[in-house]
Amino acid sequence: MDVDECAENGGVGPCDGSHGVCSNTIGSYECGCDAGYALGADAHACEDVNECRSSDSNGCDEIHGSCVNVPGSYECACEAGWQLSSDSRTCEDANECAANGGVGPCDSERGSCANTIGSYTCSCDAGYELGSDGHTCEDVNECLRNTHECSHYCKNTRGSYVCTCPDGFVLDASGHNCFFFFSTPVGETTTTTTTTTTSTTTTSTTPTTTTTTSTTTSEPATTTAVASTTTTSEQVATSAVGPVQVLLTESLSYANLNCTPDEKHVQLAEDAGVRDVVISAFASVAQVSEIVPVLFISPAEQALVLQYAVVVNEEDVATAEQIASDVADEVTNIMKGIEEDDAVSCVFFVGVDFTRKSDKEVIPNDTKLENESTGAGIPIVVIAGVAAVCVLLVLVVIAVGVTRRRRAQGGYGFSLGAAKDAETGDFDNPMYSTRRRNVGFDNPIYDDLDDGEETDHDHERRGSLEWDSY
């Protein structure tokens, strides 16, 4: 009777109890192994089969993948930048940028991620650059690197920079170049300049004059506009071309006797949006692109200064001045409400003092004025030239007539002296010798030779000739 060797040991008999199987046969038995295992040399124990030894036994991606052996099986893996496809064998590109809101492992605040085949690249917003780790973005200090476009002073900000100007200068519309503009405190002195161009006509010439008059008043917080007009004759023509524009300049200074502001205070004010207040407030009367508020520290005043210039049409001046006043109030309220942490060197915004400076200047339309001046100047030059030629011709005619009359009278244009004992009208011209006459000249321009004298000697008595003066 056959004995079932496999009946023992949980049904595996003498075979491997972990990964083996037992098959009973007539008068014997056979051991087998689970998938991924093979019988060892004793024909009982099961040993792991390493499928990764040969690509024929695993099917993993041979270019971007690899095989990893595990007990009883294997797994396919992919290199960095690749991931297993749905068949768990081949590798496909992994989009690293898909995670973290589309920026992947790059800087989530100021960076961006670009997926590449098998990899990715990080980049930063303008004004920032990649740090040493290739992922985070760090601020670029354009002022220290001298990559800014400021004509005078540069102040670095996070991701950018702003240009500032010395006292008495303001920024132009580009926000980079400073031009001179005399600025005075409103609380002390306000200067308003009005430019008027007039054409004055007289009987002989037609000059064009440009007159600029500045009027200064010492009344606090008062702006006095004085229109200057110069009249030098009954005919005055005022040149006005298109809408007259006015340049308004505002400077808001904040100082605290107990604290000198530094760059951290400037950054706090920047983050509070004080510059944005100016831009949005004047959007109704000026082009936003030309409004460039500048926030900087004035070493001379030891103050934090918000300065801006805006150009408006003449009819909008009153509105713009009211806006400037409202802006000063709003910015001041913002400044006083800024919270300061322990990172600042001293508390500045609490108890800060405020000073406002304001200027206003009319901007003439130079292009039109130049054209009109040129158009009127051409006939003036022509008329003046013709008149000069006519006067010269008249003078020449008069000179010729006088010369002819004198020659007709025998004087030849000279009347230097009369000869002694000479007849009336005789020897009026002493260019002719008196050698043959017993006469002398009052004016001895020319000497006379005595009888028998070969050379001429002045200042001596010559026979019958005697000079009265020499």
Side-chain angles (χ1 to χ4, degrees), residues 103-114 121-141 145 157-159:
V103 295
C106 303
D107 194 309
S108 59
E109 294 184 3
R110 305 177 184 88
S112 58
C113 180
T121 57
C122 293
S123 58
C124 299
D125 299 338
Y128 294 87
E129 63 183 2
L130 285 174
S132 57
D133 60 1
H135 293 83
T136 56
C137 294
E138 300 175 351
D139 174 57
V140 175
N141 193 329
R145 296 187 181 184
T157 61
R158 282 186 285 184

Side-chain angles (χ1 to χ4, degrees), residues 71-132:
S73 183
Y74 68 94
E75 294 177 355
C76 293
C78 297
E79 61 187 28
W82 300 84
Q83 63 186 5
L84 286 174
S85 62
S86 58
D87 63 3
S88 298
R89 297 287 187 273
T90 57
C91 295
E92 62 184 10
D93 174 57
N95 186 355
E96 298 88 348
C97 300
N100 196 21
V103 295
C106 303
D107 194 309
S108 59
E109 294 184 3
R110 305 177 184 88
S112 58
C113 180
N115 185 61
T116 60
I117 301 300
S119 186
Y120 64 95
T121 57
C122 293
S123 58
C124 299
D125 299 338
Y128 294 87
E129 63 183 2
L130 285 174
S132 57

Side-chain angles (χ1 to χ4, degrees), residues 414-435:
F414 291 89
S415 182
L416 299 176
K420 289 182 178 181
D421 301 326
E423 297 178 359
T424 302
D426 198 5
F427 293 100
D428 285 315
N429 190 338
M431 295 178 66
Y432 294 91
S433 177
T434 59
R435 179 177 181 180

Side-chain angles (χ1 to χ4, degrees), residues 22-44:
C22 182
S23 300
N24 186 58
T25 60
I26 300 300
S28 185
Y29 64 94
E30 292 180 355
C31 290
C33 296
D34 296 338
Y37 292 88
L39 286 173
D42 62 359
H44 289 82

Side-chain angles (χ1 to χ4, degrees), residues 416-421 427 429-450 453 455-470:
L416 299 176
K420 289 182 178 181
D421 301 326
F427 293 100
N429 190 338
M431 295 178 66
Y432 294 91
S433 177
T434 59
R435 179 177 181 180
R436 298 180 180 179
R437 302 286 299 273
N438 186 22
V439 293
F441 289 93
D442 294 329
N443 191 342
I445 293 180
Y446 294 93
D447 203 353
D448 297 278
L449 292 176
D450 227 346
E453 185 179 5
T455 59
D456 176 29
H457 300 283
D458 287 333
H459 310 292
E460 67 180 13
R461 186 181 183 87
R462 312 188 193 287
S464 62
L465 296 178
E466 181 178 354
W467 301 98
D468 292 334
S469 63
Y470 298 91

